[in-house]
Amino acid sequence: MNSDWQTYLCNQHAVILNNCVLHFGDISAELSDTQNKTIMTDLSHRGLIQFSGDDAKNFLQSQLSCDIREISSEIAQYGGYCTSKGRILASFLLWQKNQSVIMQLPASLVASTIKRLSLYILRSKVQLTDISNAWIRIGVAGPNISVLTAEFCKSANNSDPVIDKEISMLHVANNRMEVITSIENAPAVWERLKQNASPVGAACWDWLDIQSGIPVILPETQEAFLPQMINLDAIGGVSFKKGCYPGQEIVARTQYLGKLKRRMFLVHLTTTETIKAGDALYSADMVDQSCGNIVNIAPSPCGGYDALAVIQQSSVNTCNIHWQSLQGPTLKIKSLPYTLPV
């Protein structure tokens, strides 16, 4: 997290741990606001990698599961970076800024992703740069999102000094956007947004990702899943019409020749125990073998936790699914906001 920005947020009563805003004083109230009000949050817990150079797009097209030709400054794309065995090392949001491509992913994966991708640049004209602290990203969500967007567009057209030429708005899901700006401009943007939105902690944004069925691969879940297992194919994060990339053969074979045994589901757990990404799940039909794993987890406004979990589809259809053991809390399966491919 940019140190100047951290100081500013602390002055706004943010409680920060490990470069992540935990809350602004009352996590329960913030979660409640996230359900039905317009909220805003700092996204410094997500890092940024910039890909620049004449060959940047061609390079990324040969490395990632999504189709780079579909991104622009207005259109972002979810995608995955896989091993040669098709297992996901990182999931991300990708967009274009000027002549560069920007990848947003968990800050904890930035260094390792840059290191691994750099091995394949060879003679390509591509530069990879960690720009996580160069741009401030503020997530905004809720029913007043269109009002906020209209206000910013109006301010930009009127050359408002608060809304400088470096600001951009990226729509990432229904009623959700990211406002991206420079550190110099960020406090003024935050103050402007705060007129119509309530500040909340990062867990609230994570909860919205979970409700949207958007997976975020973390260090605990690297190489645990194929792209289809975490529904990347359902949210446009896998292209079956582009050329080769690491793991492409296995991903394509799973799509066209195999029956996918595990899929990601939206679930709820009623418990006060600490649940983590990667935790194992169990069902009676699998006896003592795990039937799945937690992908992402966040406190629920209704109590307990909401989560995304990859689970054996046959187990979901026939058994109760439990956390950590057959005696553990039972998962309640909820409806995803999109249809899974057959």
Side-chain angles (χ1 to χ4, degrees), residues 3-218:
S3 57
D4 291 339
W5 181 237
Q6 181 169 342
T7 299
Y8 172 79
L9 289 176
C10 288
N11 291 333
Q12 298 292 309
H13 310 295
V15 176
I16 300 172
L17 179 65
N18 296 330
N19 297 319
C20 177
V21 176
L22 300 182
H23 55 78
F24 285 84
D26 189 339
I27 183 61
S28 296
E30 292 168 23
L31 282 166
S32 179
D33 287 347
T34 303
Q35 274 191 301
N36 47 39
K37 296 182 180 180
T38 300
I39 57 92
M40 55 189 284
T41 190
D42 171 62
L43 297 177
S44 296
H45 62 301
R46 306 279 173 90
L48 295 178
I49 302 174
Q50 176 178 275
F51 299 83
S52 55
D54 294 343
D55 299 330
K57 278 196 167 185
N58 288 336
F59 172 73
L60 289 171
Q61 187 76 332
S62 70
Q63 294 293 320
L64 309 180
S65 66
C66 55
D67 194 336
I68 306 304
R69 295 170 296 187
E70 296 180 2
I71 70 166
S72 68
S73 56
E74 292 84 26
I75 300 174
Q77 185 81 33
Y78 290 105
Y81 178 41
C82 301
T83 68
S84 59
K85 295 181 179 180
R87 296 281 166 162
I88 296 233
L89 288 163
S91 59
F92 50 77
L93 186 66
L94 205 68
W95 68 89
Q96 184 171 335
K97 183 174 179 61
N98 300 324
Q99 301 305 309
S100 299
V101 176
I102 309 298
M103 175 186 287
Q104 180 174 269
L105 70 169
S108 54
L109 295 183
V110 168
S112 61
T113 301
I114 289 177
K115 182 178 180 180
R116 189 179 180 100
L117 281 169
S118 296
L119 297 175
Y120 301 98
I121 290 178
L122 302 178
R123 296 182 180 179
S124 299
K125 297 178 181 178
V126 185
Q127 294 81 46
L128 281 66
T129 310
D130 180 353
I131 59 167
S132 302
N133 290 333
W135 297 100
I136 303 303
R137 284 139 293 130
I138 303 169
V140 187
N144 290 336
I145 199 99
S146 58
V147 174
L148 289 171
T149 302
E151 272 198 10
F152 271 87
C153 290
K154 181 180 179 181
S155 297
N157 291 334
N158 291 339
S159 299
D160 189 320
V162 171
I163 312 301
D164 68 16
K165 64 180 180 180
E166 294 295 349
I167 197 168
S168 57
M169 292 177 292
L170 189 68
H171 287 267
V172 296
N174 186 38
N175 285 335
R176 286 207 290 159
M177 71 176 183
E178 290 188 25
V179 178
I180 305 166
T181 190
S182 63
I183 177 59
E184 294 79 13
N185 201 43
V189 171
W190 185 271
E191 295 296 333
R192 174 64 64 83
L193 288 170
K194 204 166 70 168
Q195 295 175 16
N196 294 289
S198 302
V200 300
C204 295
W205 192 261
D206 294 342
W207 181 80
L208 288 171
D209 270 344
I210 288 169
Q211 298 305 304
S212 299
I214 298 171
V216 179
I217 292 296
L218 299 168

Side-chain angles (χ1 to χ4, degrees), residues 260-309:
L260 194 64
K261 295 181 179 180
R262 298 191 176 202
R263 273 285 188 183
M264 189 177 73
F265 295 85
L266 174 60
V267 304
H268 178 80
L269 292 95
T270 302
T271 181
T272 57
E273 297 187 67
T274 301
I275 302 176
K276 305 182 297 297
D279 281 355
L281 305 173
Y282 293 86
S283 59
D285 62 322
M286 299 287 286
V287 194
D288 58 350
Q289 291 187 334
S290 169
C291 70
N293 299 89
I294 298 292
V295 180
N296 301 119
I297 187 86
S300 170
C302 303
Y305 296 90
D306 287 329
L308 294 173

Side-chain angles (χ1 to χ4, degrees), residues 216-288:
V216 179
I217 292 296
L218 299 168
E220 299 86 345
T221 54
Q222 284 186 299
E223 299 189 55
F225 312 116
L226 295 171
Q228 293 100 317
M229 288 183 185
I230 58 170
N231 302 350
L232 275 188
D233 55 332
I235 60 173
V238 181
S239 172
F240 297 102
K241 298 179 180 179
K242 59 175 283 186
C244 293
Y245 58 88
Q248 182 265 343
E249 183 178 349
I250 292 173
V251 173
R253 188 187 306 148
T254 301
Q255 180 73 11
Y256 296 117
L257 300 179
K259 180 174 175 57
L260 194 64
K261 295 181 179 180
R262 298 191 176 202
R263 273 285 188 183
M264 189 177 73
F265 295 85
L266 174 60
V267 304
H268 178 80
L269 292 95
T270 302
T271 181
T272 57
E273 297 187 67
T274 301
I275 302 176
K276 305 182 297 297
D279 281 355
L281 305 173
Y282 293 86
S283 59
D285 62 322
M286 299 287 286
V287 194
D288 58 350

